[in-house]
Amino acid sequence: MTADDVADTLAAMGPRLRAAREHRGATLTGVSCATGISPSTLSRIETGRRKPTLEVVLQLAKEYGVSLDELAGTVLAADPGPRASALQRFGDDKAVLPLTRYVGGLHAHKHVLPAVEEPPARPRQVSHDGYEWLCVLYGRLWLALGHQDLVLAAGDVAEFDTRTPHGVANAGPGGPVEYLIMFGPQGERLRPRTPPAPGRGAR
């Protein structure tokens, strides 16, 4: 491996660590509590402003349940099996089902927000590098995107640069909300492709 290869691997390590964390539905604060690494250090590593040490990479690989090869991008993540791919539940009762089993690049999750009895407060917003595509499957989802407030119903789709502050909540009261998320940690976007119109050749 050349010096350029090492530099490229380290440059890609941050987005892969962020993808691995988000694949598990973990927050920077939660990982900090589990590892003792400060949230600011984790954030700088994920955004490429700081190179991780081997000790930190080993800690995070263990915390996220991934191998060093996966974080280096030399192999696909192993099949997590039926137990690991089951819905993961978090403190706010949100459930997340990972739909992809690799680290880095576009990956997808299904999210389920529980029913609420009263109108919620405006969702807490976060921002980070990347690009997100969101599709509501069931219920009504409140998407707070920057200064905008959108209520999405089943079949509605939103896409946005995740550097824009964003947050979601059940727009209730009513039933639960189910939605899909596809996320490109390095800014990857979906590319719509449609067949040519009848009578026209493909271009």
Side-chain angles (χ1 to χ4, degrees), residues 152-163:
L152 308 178
D156 288 342
V157 174
E159 57 177 327
F160 52 91
D161 187 319
T162 52
R163 289 174 296 184

Side-chain angles (χ1 to χ4, degrees), residues 48-61:
R49 290 175 292 166
R50 177 170 177 168
K51 294 180 181 179
T53 64
L54 178 58
E55 180 181 2
V56 166
V57 172
L58 289 171
Q59 279 184 280
L60 295 178

Side-chain angles (χ1 to χ4, degrees), residues 171-202:
V177 181
E178 297 185 16
Y179 58 101
L180 296 177
I181 281 181
M182 290 192 68
F183 174 70
Q186 294 174 287
E188 299 93 338
R189 299 181 61 171
L190 301 183
R191 296 182 295 274
R193 300 293 297 270
T194 57
R200 297 183 181 180

Side-chain angles (χ1 to χ4, degrees), residues 70-86:
E70 290 166 38
L71 292 177
T74 57
V75 298
L76 290 177
D79 188 339
R83 290 185 63 188
S85 62

